[in-house]
Amino acid sequence: MAKSEQCCSTQLIDGDGSFNDTGIEQFIKEVKLGECGLSYAVVSIMGPQSSGKSTLLNNLFATNFREMDAFRGRSQTTKGIWLAKCAGIEPCTLVMDLEGTDGRERGEDDTAFEKQSALFALAVSDIVLINMWCHDIGREQAANKPLLKTVFQVMMRLFSPRKTTLMFVIRDKTRTPLENLEPVLREDIQKIWDSVPKPEAHKDTPLSEFFNVEVVALSSYEEKEEQFKEQVASLRQKFFHSIAPGGLAGDRRGVVPASGFSFSAQQIWRVIKENRDLDLPAHKVMVATVRCEEIANEKHAAFVGNEEWSQFEQDVQLGPIPGFGKKLSSIIDMCLSGYDEEATYFDEGVRSGKRKQLEEKLLQHVQPAFQALLGHLRSGTLDKFKEAFDKALDGGQGFSVAAHNCSESFMAQFDEGCADAVIQQADWDTSKVRDKLKRDIDAHIASVRDAKLSEIKTLYEAKLKEALSGPVEALLDGANSETWPAIRKLFKRETESAVSGFSSALSGFDMDKQTKDKILASLEAYSRGVVEAKTKEEAGRVLIRMKDRFATLFSHDSDSMPRVWTGKEDIRAITKTARSASLKLLSVMAAIRLDDGDADNIEKTLSLALVDGRNAAPKDKSITTVDPLASSTWQEVSSSKTLITPVQCKSLWKQFKSETEYSVSQAIAAQEANKRNNNWLPPPWAILALVVLGFNEFMTLLRNPLYLLVIFVGFLLLKALWVQLDISAEFRNGALPGLLSLSTKLVPTIMNMMKRLADEGAAAAADNNPQRNPAVASKGISNGANASSSMSTSASSGVTESEYSSPSKQE
């Protein structure tokens, strides 16, 4: 650190407590302090002896205080109070190096000068550095707690608050982060302030009214010198413009002008020297504080290392330990008794306070094990409850009775376990864990209850679905005037049966009437939903159903036998009947009619608009009629119950008619073809004409029988040709298609017949050859006879086949 100006120092107060009047006056002249007015700051440092205070000041402010020579041993270096001017810092900054506390040179009982110098530093300085080792944080003496407590108490009686900044400088910082050390120091200072008896004027004055607290940490000077110097250089920057707003002493009050600093300091020291209150508290209290804390720490360490406790700590992680509370209370009581024996001769107030702290530390140490034990008790009790509850339900016990008995039994078992685990010295509340167990048990009961109710409800819903779905579908399939009354009767019967059974099953759940009625109402709603869903499903297939019903009625007679269109049937009447039945099905499917009061005119409206309306059209063309199906709603039917709107019915009927027209036309065509096939004889008048006009030809045939033979053979040939060509079948689809088909088949058929006759003639000639084997010849004769008879049979059978094949084919 560069020194921009010469450092000047003097001993302000010697080791005997004498104020150096001459030296301070000379010092003020040399540093020209009188010219600064209010623009100056005073910094002091206090801390244990040989803690590196002078070294810190010399590195921080470029002063020349005497430092301890480590090679000569640890001893007192600074005696009394020394004052120096910091080099290179603006504004003018004076720094005081105080004699170290807790020095062996002054002895155990001579602590008055320590208190006096500390109070003087707090009263005079704007900033007080409290130098302490990192490992002394939390200790009483090393952290100067008793000393600070004393000077705080006296300072409020002797001086008005001037807002001093206390900067704790932690030396030889370890790995512990500063964020973890700082709260401890601030808490200690606050505790000291709260415990100090205050005069009435400052009874409610907060610590911040007297002091600002700052905390910094420095590395080891001996082990990490370079890092130490870098941190000190950074800290030095905070002292530049320290009295400016926002600086370390920016909010100081009651500042004495620089020209009166010497007189003010001398008067403050005189007041401090003459005040007897600084002899209190007695040294025995301070000794008791240190010694009782040492004993308490020893007992705590002994407890932590106790083998029985260590075993408890391990076992409790695996499960509950019988007699845990009694055994652990005995170990803690033994530890506290040992403390009482060793601390019996120390100050009673200090001894009691430290004993309470020890007890709190011991209980704080064992509390995690106690909480773990309670956790095992809670989880174990909950598991046993679940097992016993399920067993009770499986045994047929009522749900509410089983839940109440099991809950009471296992909560009592948990209370017994808690009583066994309670530690005598602790007043820990187990109600939170008990409440958690009670909530877990209640939650399990609720979940099982919901599951059981859901299971029972699902069972009855499945029964309802099975009892309603199939029968409703069957009733809708055979839709007629009694369909919806039958569905309502079925719905009412099955719903009442299911609700009655469900109500009996709910009796063991001990629920209020409102809840029970709500659940039963949901089952009724489900039943209605099944019927409505099935009806909507069938309504979606209404066109298929209509076509199936039409096909059944149109193609089958009253005995359910397939119709044969012989020409005697009244196709118009059959078609009207089949369509009326299909229209009936459409009207049944158009709306849901589950309630007794449901009444509508859907069937009448559909019949009038789709069947009767066309036949009853007004003769007067000037009269216009309104289409009753030109609407999206039915009269007296709500939209929620409408499945097929009037407009949709009209569209479906139009599609239905177009898709069934083909069947009707096919039936008409079949009738006409049948009539043509059966009417092969000429009309009676033609027969009469033939008889009258053909009398001469008939007589000619009688006079010459050979003509009859020729005509008979010609008839056989024509009949065979008729059968081979299947002329009746060819003309079934019309005259022109029949002629075209016969024109292509006539010549090949004739050629085929002539070839067959030629083959039979050749076979007959071979039979007449005398050189052939008689057996072969007889066989040929036999074959010829068979062929001849075959041809005759073929001709005769052709007539029969022609008579019976045509109707069946037409069908």
Side-chain angles (χ1 to χ4, degrees):
M1 183 182 300
K3 298 181 181 180
S4 60
E5 59 186 274
Q6 186 67 29
C7 176
C8 181
S9 63
T10 185
Q11 188 177 32
L12 182 61
I13 300 173
D14 62 18
D16 297 328
S18 300
F19 194 90
N20 187 4
D21 301 338
T22 306
I24 186 64
E25 292 293 340
Q26 182 65 30
F27 174 81
I28 289 175
K29 290 180 182 179
E30 289 183 10
V31 301
K32 300 179 181 181
L33 184 63
E35 300 174 5
C36 296
L38 298 177
S39 182
Y40 74 103
V42 180
V43 180
S44 61
I45 188 169
M46 56 189 294
Q49 179 177 299
S50 304
S51 61
K53 299 187 300 298
S54 301
T55 302
L56 174 61
L57 293 179
N58 291 340
N59 282 272
L60 185 59
F61 300 113
T63 54
N64 57 1
F65 294 119
R66 181 184 174 189
E67 299 178 8
M68 183 190 74
D69 187 355
F71 294 96
R72 295 183 179 180
R74 307 186 69 83
S75 60
Q76 188 179 46
T77 303
T78 302
K79 296 183 179 180
I81 300 175
W82 287 77
L83 180 67
K85 179 182 182 296
C86 301
I89 293 182
E90 292 295 336
C92 178
T93 302
L94 304 180
V95 59
M96 292 191 299
D97 187 12
L98 275 65
E99 178 179 325
T101 61
D102 198 22
R104 65 181 180 83
E105 285 79 2
R106 288 191 179 273
E108 291 183 356
D109 296 326
D110 191 5
T111 60
F113 185 82
E114 294 178 3
K115 300 171 186 176
Q116 292 170 348
S117 60
L119 182 57
F120 177 78
L122 289 173
V124 172
S125 305
D126 301 305
I127 304 169
V128 177
L129 305 179
I130 301 177
N131 197 57
M132 60 186 302
W133 300 109
C134 182
H135 55 264
D136 287 337
I137 294 177
R139 298 178 179 177
E140 286 289 326
Q141 293 299 317
N144 296 285
K145 293 180 183 178
L147 179 61
L148 285 175
K149 184 175 182 179
T150 301
V151 298
F152 281 177
Q153 180 177 349
V154 178
M155 182 178 180
M156 284 188 295
R157 289 203 305 269
L158 300 182
F159 310 107
S160 60
R162 63 186 312 273
K163 204 62 175 291
T164 305
T165 297
L166 298 180
M167 178 177 285
F168 288 84
V169 182
I170 302 172
R171 304 291 296 277
D172 292 3
K173 177 183 173 298
T174 61
R175 294 181 179 180
T176 304
L178 180 61
E179 293 81 6
N180 295 345
L181 298 174
E182 183 175 351
V184 177
L185 287 174
R186 291 184 179 275
E187 183 180 0
D188 290 343
I189 297 300
Q190 187 63 46
K191 287 181 178 179
I192 293 173
W193 180 261
D194 294 340
S195 63
V196 168
K198 303 177 183 66
E200 195 65 26
H202 299 295
K203 189 173 184 179
D204 298 324
T205 304
L207 174 66
S208 58
E209 187 69 17
F210 277 79
F211 303 100
N212 294 321
V213 179
E214 298 282 342
V215 180
V216 296
L218 302 175
S219 301
S220 173
Y221 175 75
E222 296 180 358
E223 298 177 4
K224 301 178 181 179
E225 184 175 355
E226 293 298 327
Q227 189 174 354
F228 172 84
K229 290 183 177 180
E230 291 177 0
Q231 294 169 350
V232 167
S234 177
L235 178 61
R236 175 182 172 88
Q237 298 302 317
K238 295 184 177 183
F239 291 87
F240 283 86
H241 309 291
S242 58
I243 62 174
L248 287 177
D251 54 349
R252 62 179 182 168
R253 297 188 294 267
V255 183
V256 177
S259 58
F261 174 78
S262 174
F263 178 78
S264 174
Q266 187 174 0
Q267 293 300 314
I268 290 174
W269 181 251
R270 182 179 61 81
V271 172
I272 292 174
K273 287 284 289 182
E274 294 175 358
N275 192 279
R276 296 179 176 274
D277 291 342
L278 291 177
D279 292 335
L280 299 174
H283 180 67
K284 66 176 183 177
V285 174
M286 301 179 67
V287 173
T289 301
V290 175
R291 184 58 187 143
C292 288
E293 184 171 356
E294 290 178 351
I295 296 172
N297 291 337
E298 290 174 1
K299 298 306 176 183
H300 181 264
F303 175 82
V304 173
N306 186 280
E307 294 183 0
E308 189 175 3
W309 156 245
S310 300
Q311 189 63 41
F312 278 177
E313 195 173 19
Q314 295 176 9
D315 294 344
V316 80
Q317 303 302 322
L318 304 177
I321 301 174
F324 175 85
K326 186 175 181 181
K327 295 176 182 177
L328 196 56
S329 297
S330 176
I331 299 174
I332 295 175
D333 186 63
M334 186 184 303
C335 181
L336 295 176
S337 298
Y339 169 85
D340 292 337
E341 291 179 2
E342 296 188 30
T344 185
Y345 297 108
F346 292 102
D347 181 79
E348 182 178 359
V350 176
R351 183 177 73 244
S352 300
K354 295 299 178 182
R355 187 185 192 280
K356 186 177 181 180
Q357 293 179 7
L358 173 61
E359 185 176 350
E360 291 176 353
K361 288 178 65 176
L362 293 175
L363 294 177
Q364 186 178 3
H365 189 75
V366 303
Q367 191 174 22
F370 178 75
Q371 293 297 333
L373 180 64
L374 290 184
H376 289 307
L377 283 175
R378 184 188 63 80
S379 59
T381 304
L382 181 61
D383 292 339
K384 291 177 181 178
F385 165 80
K386 292 179 180 179
E387 182 180 355
F389 185 47
D390 292 341
K391 187 175 181 181
L393 293 178
D394 293 339
Q397 194 172 359
F399 185 89
S400 298
V401 175
H404 179 268
N405 293 342
C406 292
S407 177
E408 291 293 330
S409 174
F410 285 93
M411 287 304 298
Q413 289 185 21
F414 177 77
D415 292 338
E416 292 177 3
C418 287
D420 183 65
V422 167
I423 299 173
Q424 180 181 354
Q425 293 81 3
D427 188 19
W428 291 331
D429 186 14
T430 61
S431 61
K432 291 184 178 180
V433 181
R434 189 183 192 279
D435 292 343
K436 178 67 167 61
L437 174 62
K438 189 67 172 67
R439 289 195 301 271
D440 291 342
I441 288 177
D442 292 343
H444 180 71
I445 291 173
S447 65
V448 174
R449 179 178 181 273
D450 293 342
K452 291 291 183 183
L453 288 175
S454 178
E455 180 181 347
I456 297 172
K457 186 178 180 183
T458 302
L459 175 63
Y460 280 93
E461 286 177 350
K463 290 181 178 180
L464 273 174
K465 188 172 184 180
E466 182 180 0
L468 293 174
S469 184
V472 168
E473 181 177 354
L475 289 170
L476 291 173
D477 187 35
N480 53 49
S481 300
E482 296 300 320
T483 296
W484 279 110
I487 291 176
R488 285 196 293 269
K489 184 177 180 181
L490 172 69
F491 166 73
K492 185 176 181 181
R493 182 181 70 249
E494 296 298 335
T495 303
E496 288 178 353
S497 175
V499 169
S500 176
F502 194 30
S503 178
S504 299
L506 294 179
S507 60
F509 286 88
D510 191 22
M511 60 178 65
D512 58 274
K513 186 177 184 302
Q514 184 178 1
T515 305
K516 186 175 181 179
D517 291 343
K518 185 177 180 181
I519 296 175
L520 294 177
S522 68
L523 185 64
E524 293 179 3
Y526 176 82
S527 177
R528 180 178 291 269
V530 169
V531 176
E532 292 180 353
K534 177 53 66 176
T535 307
K536 290 178 182 177
E537 180 183 343
E538 294 302 313
R541 299 199 295 263
V542 66
L543 182 60
I544 299 174
R545 296 284 191 187
M546 291 169 64
K547 292 192 294 183
D548 290 344
R549 174 167 290 192
F550 177 84
T552 301
L553 296 177
F554 186 77
S555 302
H556 294 77
D557 58 20
S558 59
D559 296 328
S560 299
M561 296 298 293
R563 292 186 188 276
V564 178
W565 303 106
T566 61
K568 298 178 182 179
E569 297 82 12
D570 187 356
I571 293 181
R572 181 180 297 275
I574 294 173
T575 301
K576 184 175 182 180
T577 301
R579 285 179 176 175
S580 297
S582 299
L583 187 66
K584 178 69 176 179
L585 189 146
L586 179 61
S587 67
V588 170
M589 293 286 194
I592 298 173
R593 305 170 180 89
L594 265 182
D595 297 322
D596 293 333
D598 291 340
D600 55 70
N601 296 318
I602 294 178
E603 183 179 359
K604 183 177 179 181
T605 304
L606 289 177
S607 179
L608 180 63
L610 301 178
V611 179
D612 301 335
R614 298 182 180 274
N615 301 328
K619 296 179 180 180
D620 189 354
K621 300 297 183 180
S622 63
I623 300 176
T624 58
T625 58
V626 179
D627 187 356
L629 298 183
S631 173
S632 60
T633 58
W634 298 104
Q635 290 184 358
E636 301 178 356
V637 178
S638 65
S639 59
S640 61
K641 294 183 179 181
T642 301
L643 298 179
I644 307 173
T645 63
V647 173
Q648 291 173 337
C649 285
K650 185 175 182 180
S651 176
L652 286 170
W653 184 255
K654 183 178 180 181
Q655 186 177 355
F656 163 75
K657 287 188 65 177
S658 66
E659 293 184 10
T660 56
E661 286 290 345
Y662 180 74
S663 299
V664 178
S665 63
Q666 285 290 95
I668 294 173
Q671 273 192 344
E672 293 177 353
N674 200 348
K675 288 179 181 179
R676 287 195 302 269
N677 291 336
N678 292 333
N679 194 18
W680 59 275
L681 291 175
W685 61 268
I687 296 174
L688 181 61
L690 287 175
V691 172
V692 174
L693 297 176
F695 180 76
N696 294 332
E697 288 79 2
F698 180 70
M699 294 304 294
T700 302
L701 289 176
L702 290 178
R703 293 189 185 102
N704 192 356
L706 183 60
Y707 286 156
L708 291 175
L709 179 61
V710 173
I711 293 173
F712 179 72
V713 172
F715 171 76
L716 291 178
L717 290 175
L718 290 175
K719 189 63 177 179
L721 187 62
W722 181 282
V723 172
Q724 291 294 325
L725 292 176
D726 195 8
I727 293 175
S728 62
E730 296 295 340
F731 281 94
R732 184 180 300 167
N733 296 324
L736 183 60
L739 290 174
L740 293 174
S741 177
L742 289 176
S743 65
T744 59
K745 294 170 60 178
L746 180 61
V747 175
T749 303
I750 294 173
M751 296 298 295
N752 192 20
M753 292 178 60
M754 293 178 65
K755 183 179 179 182
R756 186 182 299 174
L757 291 174
D759 291 342
E760 290 181 357
D767 291 342
N768 294 327
N769 191 350
Q771 297 179 356
R772 292 176 60 88
N773 192 317
V776 176
S778 64
K779 184 177 181 182
I781 293 171
S782 174
N783 289 338
N786 291 339
S788 176
S789 64
S790 171
M791 187 172 180
S792 301
T793 305
S794 174
S796 62
S797 64
V799 175
T800 307
E801 184 178 354
S802 174
E803 292 175 352
Y804 291 95
S805 63
S806 295
S808 63
K809 290 180 180 178
Q810 290 173 3
E811 182 183 348

